[in-house]
Amino acid sequence: MQILLKDIAKLVDGKIVGDSDISISSLAKIDDAKPGELTFLYLPAYEKFFTNTKASAILVKPEFKKSRNDITYIEVNEPDKAFSSLIIHYFSPSFYLSGIDNSAFVDSSAEIGADVALGKNVVVSAGCKIGSNSKIFHNTVLLENVEIGNDALVFQNVSIREDCKLGNRVIVHPGAVIGSDGFGYKQDKKGVYLKIPQIGNVIIEDDVEIGANVTIDRAAIGSTIIKKGVKIDNLVQIAHNVIIDENSVMSAQVGISGSTKIGKNCILAGQVGIVGHVEIADGTVLTAQSGVSKSIKKTGFYFGSPAKELKTAKLIEAHSRNLPDYYKKITNLEEEVKRLKEALNKKS
Amino acid sequence: MQILLKDIAKLVDGKIVGDSDISISSLAKIDDAKPGELTFLYLPAYEKFFTNTKASAILVKPEFKKSRNDITYIEVNEPDKAFSSLIIHYFSPSFYLSGIDNSAFVDSSAEIGADVALGKNVVVSAGCKIGSNSKIFHNTVLLENVEIGNDALVFQNVSIREDCKLGNRVIVHPGAVIGSDGFGYKQDKKGVYLKIPQIGNVIIEDDVEIGANVTIDRAAIGSTIIKKGVKIDNLVQIAHNVIIDENSVMSAQVGISGSTKIGKNCILAGQVGIVGHVEIADGTVLTAQSGVSKSIKKTGFYFGSPAKELKTAKLIEAHSRNLPDYYKKITNLEEEVKRLKEALNKKS
Amino acid sequence: MQILLKDIAKLVDGKIVGDSDISISSLAKIDDAKPGELTFLYLPAYEKFFTNTKASAILVKPEFKKSRNDITYIEVNEPDKAFSSLIIHYFSPSFYLSGIDNSAFVDSSAEIGADVALGKNVVVSAGCKIGSNSKIFHNTVLLENVEIGNDALVFQNVSIREDCKLGNRVIVHPGAVIGSDGFGYKQDKKGVYLKIPQIGNVIIEDDVEIGANVTIDRAAIGSTIIKKGVKIDNLVQIAHNVIIDENSVMSAQVGISGSTKIGKNCILAGQVGIVGHVEIADGTVLTAQSGVSKSIKKTGFYFGSPAKELKTAKLIEAHSRNLPDYYKKITNLEEEVKRLKEALNKKS
């Protein structure tokens, strides 16, 4: 594929500086790019690669110092977003799967929409419904009454347990488990735990993406709900009866305990943990490894375990680093005060 | 199904206040309940839903203020436990799997008990033994000489490696891996790691439940042992040669390093980490995200990374929050002492 | 198998103290060993088991006090490493898999080397290449154009997505996912996240070992790279475009964010988290649960969240534990100063 730089500039609403007649064949990172490729520069930390990049063209901010003449610049306000737009427009992958493989099992009571693709050894149990144009890759298992919308993409080795519902355009990465039992027990007088059957389900709305080896437990009763547009990274744990509101995102290895409600447009960075039965306000940002033990009612940035407002956490952290110094100051003061007392006593 | 309220009251040893002649068809959470359903109220945070719940009946504590006349109350001391009892009694799910599917592979040397169900594409390798009435779901793989007891439930896409032993009534959720190699290497002089074969196994005793995508490594030599009644939540990591004693529970994303011993009746909250070669006393409670770097010999509550007794950790946390204030006090004191010294010098 | 103690002593370059004519049949931990077995003693914490061990022979350091006459000692400088050598030499397991199972699918365009073993229901898609003598266990799926070198061992239920490349002698444990999409989105003005296609791949070099249920994301563009000799424990998350240099090891549940570079010979202990776009110097050791928010340029030991040099972190931790005491000192000082001021005023 050869793409004219003019077409690219038009797509990203950018201004070409340099040779506008060239075309590019591919996109690459600035430190990997080869002749004929387009790259971008956004983070200052990557400017060191500019001198030697072999890219033929580069997306930069208008104010970037254009010290090389052998490369064509495209000026845009947000080079990273422009680059993403190009990937989306020109390089969106299509996943090769079509038809229903002979080795797939589809129960006679299942309803399969038009143009659905089922890979090898896929299991579609009784009562399942799969919307049109959805693709389910090899060795994925749907237990009874699972519903999946249109245009969904479910990769290989995924487990979806009975009665769970997934919306349109949902993407589920390999190894994810949806609808496993919540962690619910009743302890008897001898300390033995008796299992409480988890009789709810999981509802995943449209445009949700679920990472590899994620686990989302079914509700004890009712539904665990992941609302429209939520994006969940790998190895995240969502416990029973959690509700995650629209367009919230959570990075890898986040854990959310039972019955907690996450608001809209929240950002949970990697390895964040949240206790059960709390509510997190819309738009809250939890920085990496934060541990939340109470509801967060005020939108803002939070950090620490237990989590505090980021500003407070940073102030405490800065003071903590000074603790050895403060200890010296206290010891000095004690000596000074002792000397002052002695001096005063002598005067008496 | 219609269940008489009288029968429910009898089962949970409760006292009916209101119309005792009604029957209910289902159970629901207080904020989801519809007419004809029974709900419960336990945590004060949920009392706000009482005014508008559409439930026909509700389990409450005897002291609860019964301000509505259009709902029937059942008074019990522990409404949450009573509710669980009802789920267990009336709504325990049965999992639909029976017979040995044609697509399952069973080695001729394997011993399969009565009424065992094997799902599609299940692999049962040479020397395996499966007790009566156990169910193994689709695409699960047992390597050589795996033994599983009676009445076990192993969900789909589970991997159990050679020589591992599972007891009676064990439940294994989708994607769990039992018997993967422990993380053991010997470093040579150039810094290259040579793999130490992990020649032990995993022993899982009766009534253990293992969450989705959990990983339990086989012993380097000997056995990794999960004792009777232990409950393990999703995405937990158990390293080689760990021993977990009876009736301990661990929440999601806990990690336990090699050769560590966890006592009986311990509770490990989410994302707790424990180093290798330590022992944790019976009945220890580790609160969420705690990091344990030494043996815990005294039963109690612990928190923090590194973990401290919870009382100590809370005290330190409270003082930490005051650090900016303490810094001001120290600065003030320094100024005061300076002034005092000057005043005293002037008097000389 | 009976192994002469003389042969063992020769292999580990050790000196026999006691009966050198015996032979042993197996290896065992000191607290598990039975007559006829060889054990070892290395960590002081395990010396308590020496009195009662039933082992016939034991690897010990030369200086160990040999208080029993009914056991044969082999003196070596590093008993743990000597024991590992014996496991490697005498007890390396062979994994039983040979031939290409009838239920495996191999696309006609795939290239399969000599003596490759493919288990049941394995899927090898178009364009894949598998080197000689590699074994791929049951229900593992390779999407298009995956390449695997010689002598590789890929266990069951593994997912490898399109275009990923694995080297020679790579080991992949059950449930691992290689090549899942990186977590990359572009947010529109309404806060809705649009997926950025992840069009790169994953390159895994020779002698890498990947734990159970690990997730390694494909690059947004270019490659996520795991270099020669890296060892990755269970449930680790490696994000898109991460580069891990040779012979680094990371324990369970570590998470590394996008585009971060880990140097050579680093050690990342359990549950460590590292933000994106940073670099970690060769030889860095991150202790358990550390959270790294900036590049680490100086080799050393680090701890804490945010991570600090271990020495600094320990000092701050020690002072933190004294905070209640420091508070008392400050309060005392305030009272003392107040009294001094009053005393001084009286004198005026």
Side-chain angles (χ1 to χ4, degrees):
Chain A
M1 176 163 56
Q2 287 294 320
I3 312 166
L4 288 171
L5 219 58
K6 284 172 190 166
D7 292 340
I8 286 176
K10 200 171 169 190
L11 188 79
V12 299
D13 197 18
K15 185 187 157 197
I16 296 181
V17 178
D19 183 357
S20 65
D21 287 333
I22 64 168
S23 65
I24 62 107
S25 61
S26 184
L27 307 177
K29 289 188 304 165
I30 190 163
D31 45 341
D32 282 347
K34 294 187 289 289
E37 292 186 327
L38 172 82
T39 189
F40 75 109
L41 188 45
Y42 173 61
L43 291 174
Y46 289 80
E47 287 189 12
K48 64 184 176 191
F49 296 114
F50 177 65
T51 320
N52 292 314
T53 186
K54 291 180 181 132
S56 296
I58 186 165
L59 293 156
V60 294
K61 291 183 194 175
E63 62 270 26
F64 182 71
K65 206 189 149 209
K66 296 167 198 70
S67 56
R68 285 177 58 181
N69 295 322
D70 58 340
I71 192 168
T72 301
Y73 304 87
I74 302 178
E75 291 180 355
V76 286
N77 289 325
E78 297 177 302
D80 57 330
K81 293 199 174 173
F83 194 75
S84 300
S85 298
L86 294 176
I87 296 179
I88 293 171
H89 188 81
Y90 290 109
F91 296 95
S92 283
S94 52
F95 291 100
Y96 313 103
L97 193 71
S98 67
I100 294 173
D101 194 88
N102 282 333
S103 62
F105 168 80
V106 180
D107 188 89
S108 59
S109 65
E111 297 175 23
I112 307 295
D115 298 317
V116 163
L118 301 179
K120 296 182 186 300
N121 312 313
V122 165
V123 177
V124 179
S125 303
C128 287
K129 293 180 188 175
I130 302 176
S132 61
N133 206 31
S134 287
K135 294 180 180 184
I136 300 182
F137 278 74
H138 321 296
N139 292 354
T140 281
V141 175
L142 316 185
L143 293 192
E144 288 72 19
N145 307 316
V146 167
E147 295 181 16
I148 295 179
N150 303 323
D151 303 299
L153 190 58
V154 180
F155 281 101
Q156 63 263 40
N157 291 322
V158 168
S159 300
I160 308 182
R161 275 191 43 198
E162 67 280 7
D163 302 320
C164 295
K165 314 292 177 206
L166 284 73
N168 300 310
R169 297 172 302 281
V170 164
I171 300 174
V172 184
H173 287 281
V177 176
I178 297 170
S180 38
D181 282 357
F183 199 61
Y185 303 92
K186 185 185 156 192
Q187 207 174 9
D188 75 8
K189 283 162 192 170
K190 293 178 187 165
V192 173
Y193 291 90
L194 302 175
K195 184 175 177 67
I196 302 170
Q198 304 288 303
I199 60 175
N201 73 346
V202 177
I203 296 174
I204 293 174
E205 297 186 353
D206 295 347
D207 301 305
V208 169
E209 184 162 355
I210 293 168
N213 286 343
V214 161
T215 56
I216 303 178
D217 281 349
R218 64 197 311 106
I221 191 163
S223 299
T224 303
I225 305 174
I226 315 292
K227 295 200 174 169
K228 193 173 160 58
V230 167
K231 309 297 182 187
I232 297 175
D233 200 359
N234 300 340
L235 293 169
V236 165
Q237 151 72 0
I238 310 284
H240 50 185
N241 292 97
V242 164
I243 296 175
I244 301 174
D245 214 337
E246 294 185 9
N247 298 320
S248 282
V249 294
M250 44 202 67
S251 295
Q253 297 173 321
V254 162
I256 302 178
S257 306
S259 300
T260 279
K261 291 182 186 176
I262 310 290
K264 294 178 187 179
N265 298 104
C266 290
I267 298 174
L268 279 59
Q271 298 183 335
V272 160
I274 306 183
V275 296
H277 295 280
V278 300
E279 299 189 16
I280 307 299
D282 290 353
T284 298
V285 177
L286 297 169
T287 54
Q289 295 191 327
S290 297
V292 178
S293 55
K294 294 177 191 172
S295 286
I296 290 180
K297 289 170 184 170
K298 188 181 155 198
T299 299
F301 287 73
Y302 292 81
F303 175 64
S305 179
K308 292 169 266 287
E309 286 196 67
L310 183 59
K311 207 173 140 186
T312 307
K314 281 190 169 171
L315 190 66
I316 292 170
E317 171 67 18
H319 279 292
S320 292
R321 286 173 189 256
N322 291 335
L323 266 175
D325 184 46
Y326 297 169
Y327 173 67
K328 267 185 218 153
K329 284 175 189 281
I330 291 169
T331 308
N332 283 344
L333 279 166
E334 286 178 330
E335 282 164 19
E336 292 259 35
V337 166
K338 195 180 162 197
R339 275 196 291 273
L340 278 171
K341 273 167 75 177
E342 285 166 3
L344 201 65
N345 283 340
K346 272 183 200 162
K347 290 208 191 288
S348 309
Chain B
M1 177 162 56
Q2 287 293 322
I3 311 165
L4 287 171
L5 219 57
K6 286 173 189 166
D7 292 339
I8 286 176
K10 199 171 170 191
L11 188 79
V12 299
D13 196 16
K15 185 188 158 197
I16 295 179
V17 178
D19 183 355
S20 64
D21 288 333
I22 64 169
S23 64
I24 62 106
S25 61
S26 184
L27 307 177
K29 290 188 303 164
I30 191 164
D31 45 341
D32 283 345
K34 294 187 288 290
E37 292 186 327
L38 172 80
T39 189
F40 74 110
L41 188 45
Y42 173 60
L43 291 174
Y46 291 80
E47 287 188 12
K48 64 184 175 192
F49 296 113
F50 176 66
T51 320
N52 292 315
T53 186
K54 291 181 180 134
S56 297
I58 186 164
L59 292 156
V60 294
K61 291 183 194 177
E63 63 269 27
F64 181 72
K65 207 191 149 206
K66 298 168 196 68
S67 55
R68 286 177 56 181
N69 295 323
D70 57 341
I71 191 167
T72 302
Y73 304 86
I74 302 179
E75 292 179 354
V76 286
N77 289 324
E78 298 177 301
D80 57 329
K81 294 198 173 174
F83 194 75
S84 299
S85 300
L86 295 175
I87 295 179
I88 293 171
H89 189 81
Y90 290 109
F91 295 95
S92 283
S94 53
F95 291 99
Y96 315 102
L97 193 72
S98 68
I100 294 174
D101 194 88
N102 282 334
S103 62
F105 168 80
V106 181
D107 187 89
S108 60
S109 66
E111 296 174 24
I112 308 294
D115 298 317
V116 163
L118 301 179
K120 296 183 185 300
N121 313 312
V122 165
V123 176
V124 179
S125 302
C128 286
K129 293 179 188 175
I130 302 176
S132 61
N133 207 31
S134 288
K135 293 180 181 184
I136 300 182
F137 278 73
H138 321 296
N139 291 354
T140 280
V141 174
L142 316 185
L143 293 191
E144 288 72 19
N145 307 314
V146 166
E147 294 181 17
I148 296 178
N150 304 322
D151 303 300
L153 191 57
V154 180
F155 282 101
Q156 63 264 39
N157 291 322
V158 168
S159 299
I160 308 183
R161 275 191 43 196
E162 66 281 7
D163 303 320
C164 294
K165 315 292 177 206
L166 286 72
N168 301 310
R169 297 172 301 281
V170 164
I171 300 173
V172 184
H173 288 280
V177 176
I178 297 170
S180 38
D181 283 356
F183 199 62
Y185 303 92
K186 187 186 154 192
Q187 207 174 9
D188 74 9
K189 284 163 191 168
K190 292 178 187 165
V192 173
Y193 291 90
L194 302 175
K195 182 175 178 68
I196 302 170
Q198 303 287 303
I199 60 175
N201 72 345
V202 177
I203 295 174
I204 292 173
E205 296 186 355
D206 295 347
D207 300 306
V208 169
E209 184 162 356
I210 294 168
N213 287 343
V214 162
T215 57
I216 303 179
D217 280 349
R218 64 198 309 106
I221 191 161
S223 298
T224 303
I225 305 174
I226 315 292
K227 294 199 175 170
K228 195 172 158 60
V230 167
K231 308 297 182 187
I232 297 176
D233 200 359
N234 300 341
L235 293 170
V236 166
Q237 150 73 358
I238 309 284
H240 50 186
N241 291 97
V242 164
I243 296 175
I244 301 174
D245 214 337
E246 293 184 10
N247 298 320
S248 282
V249 294
M250 44 201 68
S251 296
Q253 298 173 320
V254 163
I256 302 178
S257 306
S259 300
T260 279
K261 291 182 186 176
I262 310 290
K264 293 178 187 178
N265 299 104
C266 291
I267 298 174
L268 280 59
Q271 299 183 333
V272 160
I274 305 182
V275 297
H277 296 279
V278 300
E279 298 189 18
I280 307 298
D282 290 354
T284 297
V285 178
L286 296 169
T287 55
Q289 296 191 325
S290 296
V292 178
S293 56
K294 294 176 190 171
S295 285
I296 290 179
K297 289 169 185 172
K298 189 183 155 197
T299 299
F301 287 73
Y302 292 81
F303 174 65
S305 178
K308 293 168 264 290
E309 286 195 68
L310 183 59
K311 206 173 142 186
T312 307
K314 280 191 170 169
L315 190 65
I316 292 170
E317 171 67 18
H319 280 292
S320 291
R321 286 174 189 257
N322 291 335
L323 267 175
D325 185 45
Y326 296 170
Y327 173 66
K328 267 185 216 153
K329 285 175 188 284
I330 291 170
T331 308
N332 284 344
L333 279 166
E334 285 178 330
E335 282 164 18
E336 293 259 35
V337 166
K338 195 180 162 196
R339 277 195 291 272
L340 278 171
K341 272 167 76 178
E342 285 165 3
L344 201 64
N345 284 339
K346 272 183 198 162
K347 290 207 190 288
S348 307
Chain C
M1 178 162 55
Q2 287 294 320
I3 312 166
L4 287 171
L5 221 56
K6 286 172 189 166
D7 292 339
I8 287 176
K10 199 172 169 189
L11 188 80
V12 299
D13 197 16
K15 186 187 157 196
I16 296 181
V17 178
D19 183 355
S20 65
D21 288 332
I22 64 168
S23 64
I24 62 106
S25 62
S26 184
L27 307 177
K29 290 188 302 164
I30 191 164
D31 46 340
D32 282 347
K34 294 186 289 287
E37 293 186 326
L38 171 81
T39 190
F40 74 111
L41 188 45
Y42 174 62
L43 291 175
Y46 290 79
E47 286 188 13
K48 64 183 176 192
F49 297 113
F50 176 67
T51 319
N52 291 315
T53 185
K54 291 182 181 131
S56 296
I58 186 165
L59 292 156
V60 294
K61 291 183 195 176
E63 64 268 27
F64 181 72
K65 208 190 148 207
K66 297 167 196 70
S67 55
R68 286 177 55 182
N69 294 323
D70 58 341
I71 192 168
T72 301
Y73 304 86
I74 302 178
E75 293 180 353
V76 285
N77 290 324
E78 298 177 301
D80 57 330
K81 293 199 173 173
F83 193 76
S84 299
S85 299
L86 295 175
I87 296 180
I88 293 171
H89 188 82
Y90 291 109
F91 296 95
S92 283
S94 53
F95 291 99
Y96 314 102
L97 192 72
S98 68
I100 293 173
D101 195 89
N102 283 334
S103 62
F105 168 80
V106 181
D107 188 89
S108 59
S109 66
E111 297 175 24
I112 308 293
D115 298 317
V116 162
L118 301 179
K120 295 181 187 303
N121 312 314
V122 165
V123 177
V124 180
S125 303
C128 286
K129 293 179 187 174
I130 302 176
S132 61
N133 206 30
S134 288
K135 293 180 180 183
I136 299 182
F137 278 73
H138 321 296
N139 291 355
T140 280
V141 175
L142 315 185
L143 294 192
E144 288 73 18
N145 307 314
V146 167
E147 295 181 17
I148 296 178
N150 303 321
D151 303 300
L153 191 57
V154 180
F155 281 101
Q156 64 263 40
N157 289 324
V158 168
S159 300
I160 308 182
R161 276 192 40 197
E162 66 281 7
D163 303 320
C164 294
K165 315 292 177 205
L166 284 72
N168 300 309
R169 297 172 302 281
V170 164
I171 300 173
V172 184
H173 288 281
V177 176
I178 297 170
S180 39
D181 282 356
F183 199 61
Y185 302 92
K186 186 186 155 191
Q187 207 175 8
D188 73 10
K189 285 164 191 168
K190 291 178 186 165
V192 173
Y193 291 90
L194 303 175
K195 182 176 178 65
I196 303 171
Q198 303 288 302
I199 60 175
N201 73 345
V202 178
I203 295 174
I204 292 173
E205 296 187 354
D206 295 348
D207 300 305
V208 169
E209 184 162 354
I210 294 168
N213 286 344
V214 161
T215 55
I216 303 179
D217 281 348
R218 65 197 310 107
I221 190 162
S223 298
T224 302
I225 305 174
I226 315 293
K227 295 199 174 169
K228 194 172 159 59
V230 167
K231 308 297 182 187
I232 298 175
D233 199 0
N234 300 341
L235 293 170
V236 166
Q237 150 73 358
I238 310 283
H240 51 184
N241 292 98
V242 164
I243 296 175
I244 301 174
D245 214 337
E246 294 184 9
N247 298 319
S248 282
V249 295
M250 45 202 67
S251 296
Q253 297 173 322
V254 162
I256 302 178
S257 305
S259 300
T260 279
K261 292 182 185 175
I262 309 289
K264 294 179 188 177
N265 298 105
C266 291
I267 298 174
L268 279 59
Q271 298 183 335
V272 160
I274 306 182
V275 297
H277 296 279
V278 300
E279 298 190 17
I280 307 297
D282 290 354
T284 298
V285 177
L286 297 169
T287 54
Q289 294 191 327
S290 296
V292 178
S293 56
K294 293 177 191 173
S295 286
I296 290 181
K297 288 169 185 171
K298 188 181 155 199
T299 299
F301 287 74
Y302 292 81
F303 175 65
S305 179
K308 292 168 264 289
E309 285 196 68
L310 183 59
K311 207 173 140 185
T312 307
K314 281 190 169 172
L315 190 65
I316 292 170
E317 171 66 18
H319 279 291
S320 292
R321 286 174 188 257
N322 290 336
L323 266 175
D325 185 45
Y326 296 171
Y327 173 67
K328 267 185 217 154
K329 284 174 189 281
I330 290 169
T331 309
N332 283 344
L333 278 167
E334 286 177 330
E335 281 165 18
E336 293 260 35
V337 166
K338 195 180 164 196
R339 277 196 291 271
L340 279 171
K341 273 167 76 177
E342 286 165 2
L344 200 65
N345 284 339
K346 272 184 199 161
K347 290 207 191 288
S348 309

